Amino acid sequence: MDALYTAVATANGREGRAVSSDGRIDLPLAFPQALGGNGQGTNPEQLFAAGYAACFASAMGAIARQEKIDVKDASVTAEVGIGKDTDGGFALAVTLRVELPEHLDGEPGRTLLKKAHAYCPYSKATRGNIPVELVIE
């Protein structure tokens, strides 16, 4: 693959900082309270959720433009869960909750989500690695 753009960020663990090379991201990191932390910063799961939601919404928009479908009122909420896996480590699971305009109720909406899931770079990266559930709200 020839990269069209490369994002660069540096972090020094779950309790430190995450900083992008251009300085636009400069965030304190902390374990969430649910994992025993103080919750006084963001965490990798939140950052992943924000990135996946934005990428999936963009993928939906690209497919919709190709098919001349109006999705200007659509939104995507990504829920990224972390839990113990069978090897004693941790694993992720994602639920993408998509709100679609009324004209995409039923099969048209499901078809759009399937096509966006096939097109989205985050979906491609996670496919076969972590469970991703698509939910139309």
Side-chain angles (χ1 to χ4, degrees):
M1 173 194 81
D2 290 328
L4 300 174
Y5 168 75
T6 300
V8 179
T10 302
N12 57 355
R14 283 183 167 267
E15 295 187 297
R17 294 199 78 70
V19 181
S20 63
S21 60
D22 63 3
R24 293 188 182 270
I25 296 174
D26 187 349
L27 301 168
L29 300 174
F31 277 96
Q33 289 181 335
L35 296 179
N38 64 17
Q40 297 299 306
T42 192
N43 59 68
E45 293 73 36
Q46 289 173 321
L47 296 169
F48 186 65
Y52 203 160
C55 190
F56 195 85
S58 182
M60 268 190 348
I63 298 298
R65 279 188 301 281
Q66 289 174 1
E67 299 188 3
K68 299 189 181 1
I69 299 170
D70 178 13
V71 292
K72 71 177 184 301
D73 293 329
S75 67
V76 178
T77 300
E79 299 172 357
V80 176
I82 186 169
K84 293 276 189 173
D85 66 12
T86 57
D87 298 330
F90 293 89
L92 300 175
V94 174
T95 300
L96 296 175
R97 298 189 182 281
V98 182
E99 292 187 33
L100 294 171
E102 277 186 34
H103 67 274
L104 290 172
D105 282 348
E107 192 56 37
R110 285 190 294 278
T111 299
L112 176 62
L113 261 59
K114 287 178 191 173
K115 289 179 178 181
H117 194 45
Y119 183 83
C120 174
Y122 274 63
S123 292
K124 289 178 183 179
T126 58
R127 190 167 292 116
N129 297 310
I130 64 172
V132 177
E133 181 184 6
L134 302 176
V135 176
I136 298 174
E137 297 282 91

